[in-house]
């Protein structure tokens, strides 16, 4: 059993409480490799932002869970080396799919886990989530649950709306499971294709797709039911068009990729939404930089020569999110 506190990690309790009171959101960035982790820690340390390092099941399979765990430990030391004496870094399991996966992560030193029972029938979601909470809380590990199903791009608007979180269920779910935060469905979805062109309108000047707004009425209704309770938004990449354009210019094929406009994420950050999940934007930044570098320097075969620019681009993107969208810069409890 690894005690995450001994690794210098923190759970999400304090950072969420301060984020809700302060009207900003904590970034939850996924990582799968060293360059992503370096960029996340550099961005959050330079800007004195608390940060959540997210590890998915896919990341554990790709990078090896032991290695990821030690990388997260190293991240705390790296943040200190960068001049951040008291970093606030949580190591969080993203979309945990079973009690066993959550337990394994807790035993390995994660400070926070998500149990995603959103695709289960309601009572089964409650039973599974409660079981994870009971185990996690013995070790002061925080737990995120999910109610409502994130839309798939194949869903039409009516089907997508029917998957939104039902505000009338949230009090029962939170009180019976004991979760520390709740992921909700209000129109976001995973990946680089969050809406079909048919679901969007087109900006007449640029020809770019303009997605439909998030269901802020559903978020408002949830906040009325659960005042001051931490809410989480998954699927919150904005799919920056400059990255999509670079990828397409240099041989990629991402037609009509579209994300959540940053204006809407900015608005959500000021509410009880205190954790915003971003993964796809990092993938896009990385891919755009790699494609461009390799196209411009076809003789290059040293991975540092294209992973380096990719890392720089991700750091720039993370800093932009922290400073210009989520507002979590200069929000460490101890700023010295
Ligand atoms: O929610 C999904 C995250 O972007 C993780 O994706 O399962 O491909 O690692 P992944
Ligand atoms: P994006 O695909 O929008 O980056 O969402 C990531 C996410 O929700 C991770 O859990
Ligand atoms: Zn997610």
């Amino acid at each position: 059993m690894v005690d995450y506190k001994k690794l210098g990690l923190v759970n999400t309790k304090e950072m969420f409480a301060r984020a809700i009171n302060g009207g900003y959101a904590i970034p939850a960035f996924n990582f799968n490799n060293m360059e992503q982790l370096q960029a996340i820690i550099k961005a959050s340390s330079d800007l004195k932002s608390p940060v959540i390092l997210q590890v998915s099941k896919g990341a554990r399979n790709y990078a090896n869970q032991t290695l990821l765990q030690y990388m997260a430990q190293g991240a705390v030391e790296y943040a200190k080396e960068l001049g951040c004496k008291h970093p606030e870094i949580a190591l969080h399991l993203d979309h945990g799919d079973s009690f066993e996966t959550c337990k394994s992560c807790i035993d390995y030193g994660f400070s926070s886990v998500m149990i995603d029972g959103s695709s289960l029938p309601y009572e089964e979601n409650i039973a599974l989530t409660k079981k994870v909470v009971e185990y996690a809380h013995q070790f002061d590990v925080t737990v995120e649950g999910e109610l409502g199903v994130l839309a798939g791009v194949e869903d039409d608007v009516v089907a997508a709306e029917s998957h939104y979180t039902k505000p009338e269920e949230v009090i029962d779910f939170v009180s019976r499971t004991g979760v520390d935060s709740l992921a909700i469905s209000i129109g976001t979805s995973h990946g680089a294709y969050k809406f079909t062109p048919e679901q969007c309108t087109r900006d007449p000047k640029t020809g770019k797709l303009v997605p439909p707004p998030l269901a802020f009425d559903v978020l408002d209704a949830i906040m009325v039911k659960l005042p001051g309770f931490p809410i989480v938004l998954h699927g919150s990449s904005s799919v920056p068009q400059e990255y999509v354009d670079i990828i397409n210019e240099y041989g990629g094929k991402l037609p009509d990729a579209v994300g959540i406009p940053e204006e809407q994420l900015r608005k959500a950050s000021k509410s009880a939404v205190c954790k915003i999940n971003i993964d796809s934007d990092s993938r896009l930044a990385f891919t755009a930089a790699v494609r461009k570098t390799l196209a411009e320097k076809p003789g290059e075969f040293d991975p540092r020569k294209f992973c380096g620019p990719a890392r720089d681009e991700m750091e720039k993107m993370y800093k932009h999110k922290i400073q210009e969208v989520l507002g979590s810069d200069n929000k460490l409890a101890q700023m010295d």
Side-chain angles (χ1 to χ4, degrees):
M1 182 78 208
V2 182
D3 179 357
Y4 70 82
K5 291 175 187 169
K6 292 210 172 96
L7 310 180
L9 298 166
V10 298
N11 69 21
T12 56
K13 228 182 191 76
E14 296 299 321
M15 59 170 87
F16 283 176
R18 294 204 316 273
I20 292 187
N21 290 332
Y24 60 92
I26 309 292
F29 296 134
N30 290 65
F31 83 102
N32 295 264
N33 61 34
M34 185 187 72
E35 285 78 8
Q36 274 179 313
L37 185 60
Q38 287 176 311
I40 294 168
I41 297 301
K42 183 80 172 51
S44 56
S45 300
D46 281 359
L47 296 175
K48 302 274 189 281
S49 170
V51 71
I52 298 171
L53 299 174
Q54 295 206 133
V55 173
S56 70
K57 193 178 175 184
R60 289 176 100 208
N61 291 339
Y62 175 78
N64 179 279
Q65 68 159 359
T66 307
L67 208 46
L68 286 176
Q69 174 208 333
Y70 282 98
M71 285 167 77
Q73 283 183 44
V76 175
E77 300 311 314
Y78 179 42
K80 289 180 187 162
E81 202 179 295
L82 289 168
C84 207
K85 275 196 206 157
H86 304 282
E88 287 172 53
I89 302 174
L91 178 60
H92 175 82
L93 169 66
D94 192 24
H95 293 285
D97 59 351
S98 67
F99 172 78
E100 289 70 28
T101 306
C102 292
K103 180 179 181 304
S104 159
C105 285
I106 293 164
D107 295 351
Y108 264 84
F110 280 53
S111 61
S112 181
V113 293
M114 174 190 194
I115 176 69
D116 182 356
S118 61
S119 60
L120 297 173
Y122 182 70
E123 287 297 330
E124 286 177 40
N125 186 1
I126 289 192
L128 176 60
T129 306
K130 186 169 187 282
K131 189 174 172 190
V132 171
V133 169
E134 281 169 358
Y135 186 76
H137 281 183
Q138 294 176 70
F139 308 103
D140 208 16
V141 168
T142 39
V143 180
E144 174 185 325
E146 178 161 342
L147 253 191
V149 181
L150 261 60
V153 74
E154 68 282 3
D155 291 337
D156 61 29
V157 176
V158 177
E161 284 175 1
S162 74
H163 296 151
Y164 287 172
T165 306
K166 296 185 177 73
E168 61 274 20
E169 288 181 347
V170 297
I171 297 178
D172 184 61
F173 184 84
V174 166
S175 59
R176 286 173 63 199
T177 58
V179 282
D180 303 282
S181 60
L182 183 67
I184 61 165
S185 166
I186 56 166
T188 63
S189 62
H190 293 113
Y193 294 91
K194 300 193 188 297
F195 305 98
T196 60
E198 294 72 38
Q199 291 169 333
C200 302
T201 50
R202 275 201 194 267
D203 182 325
K205 280 194 203 124
T206 62
K208 297 280 185 198
L209 293 172
V210 181
L214 297 179
F216 279 99
D217 55 331
V218 175
L219 172 61
D220 289 343
I222 291 169
M223 290 194 300
V224 169
K225 299 275 184 193
L226 296 173
F229 191 79
I231 301 297
V232 177
L233 275 194
H234 282 249
S236 296
S237 279
S238 56
V239 186
Q241 286 306 299
E242 59 269 32
Y243 293 146
V244 174
D245 290 347
I246 292 171
I247 290 170
N248 288 338
E249 185 185 338
Y250 291 101
K253 210 171 185 186
L254 295 178
D256 290 334
V258 65
I260 309 296
E262 289 186 338
E263 271 313 307
Q264 300 199 27
L265 298 170
R266 219 170 267 126
K267 179 173 166 186
S269 299
K270 295 190 169 76
S271 72
V273 169
C274 60
K275 171 174 180 270
I276 290 197
N277 286 11
I278 295 172
D279 187 4
S280 297
D281 285 354
S282 167
R283 298 178 181 193
L284 291 165
F286 190 100
T287 303
V290 169
R291 277 195 180 278
K292 185 168 188 294
T293 308
L294 287 178
E296 287 174 352
K297 299 176 184 165
E300 202 54 78
F301 66 97
D302 176 349
R304 292 172 297 187
K305 296 286 173 13
F306 50 87
C307 286
R311 184 177 58 192
D312 293 346
E313 197 56 55
M314 289 188 292
E315 180 189 328
K316 201 170 99 191
M317 185 277 293
Y318 292 134
K319 282 185 166 163
H320 168 76
K321 299 289 177 183
I322 289 171
Q323 260 183 323
E324 309 296 335
V325 186
L326 279 66
S328 63
D329 51 316
N330 296 314
K331 298 295 192 306
L332 290 176
Q334 284 178 267
M335 291 285 290
D336 60 328

